[in-house]
Amino acid sequence: MALLEIITAPDPRLKKKAQPVERVDAATAKLMADMLETMYEAPGVGLAAPQIGVLKRIIVVDAARDGAPPNPLRMANPEVIWASEETKLHEEGCLSLPEEYEQVERPDKIKVRYIDENNELRTIDADGLLSVVIQHEMDHLEGTLFVDHISSLKRNMILRRLTKVKKIEKGNKRHALESA
Ligand code: NI
């Protein structure tokens, strides 16, 4: 297994639409395993392939509560086949938008069809945190970030803040290289 580098916003790769997976073969299953390892290490509750620079429709999720046994889900080509009319507000964060959190409104319950790590077609009913995380990760496959669901004023504030952080990090890196 291997840890992968997570891309942070703003980055054009996070705005692209991901392509369907033809079949989940050994290489795809390995990618899913690496994505899970990267997600747990971060730590996070979900990760989508575009966040590690792979434009494929793959997400991994583990919305198990703290202290509960792990419940990893590996999903290729996830598709929402039903969503409740009832919506809920939930505070979201994203490994690609470090330290930024905002309330996002989404359908409360969903039914999702996907292909698992053994290339088998499955459906899952999700509510609560699991529903939020799956919808959030599926957004990444469309090039959508949670900040795209909030007001442009708040979004621009967050992206400006992250651009500043990136510039500082770049500067630090250059410094480290110069002194090496
Ligand atoms: Ni995210």
Side-chain angles (χ1 to χ4, degrees), residues 11-32:
D11 188 301
R13 288 171 291 178
L14 294 172
K15 306 301 293 174
K16 293 203 171 123
K17 198 176 151 101
Q19 296 306 308
V21 174
E22 248 173 62
R23 69 182 303 272
V24 176
D25 54 13
T28 309
K30 158 93 167 61
L31 179 69
M32 287 167 157

Side-chain angles (χ1 to χ4, degrees), residues 18-92:
Q19 296 306 308
V21 174
E22 248 173 62
R23 69 182 303 272
V24 176
D25 54 13
T28 309
K30 158 93 167 61
L31 179 69
M32 287 167 157
D34 289 344
M35 284 172 63
L36 268 177
E37 192 186 4
T38 304
M39 179 195 86
Y40 286 129
E41 170 75 19
V45 289
L47 187 68
Q51 292 180 277
I52 46 124
V54 176
L55 282 176
K56 285 189 185 163
R57 303 187 79 80
I58 299 169
I59 65 172
V60 294
V61 169
D62 189 341
R65 301 257 163 223
D66 282 347
N71 184 25
L73 288 171
R74 305 156 182 87
M75 303 176 151
N77 303 344
E79 218 183 315
V80 173
I81 52 176
W82 174 83
S84 66
E85 270 174 42
E86 195 194 334
T87 59
K88 259 199 182 145
L89 267 178
H90 195 277
E91 191 179 68
E92 295 188 22

Side-chain angles (χ1 to χ4, degrees), residues 85-104:
E85 270 174 42
E86 195 194 334
T87 59
K88 259 199 182 145
L89 267 178
H90 195 277
E91 191 179 68
E92 295 188 22
C94 179
L95 295 175
S96 293
L97 298 154
E99 287 167 57
E100 303 289 348
Y101 302 90
E102 287 293 337
Q103 297 275 335
V104 178

Side-chain angles (χ1 to χ4, degrees), residues 51 93-96 136-137 140 145-146:
Q51 292 180 277
C94 179
L95 295 175
S96 293
H136 173 117
E137 299 314 327
H140 278 297
L145 300 174
F146 82 77

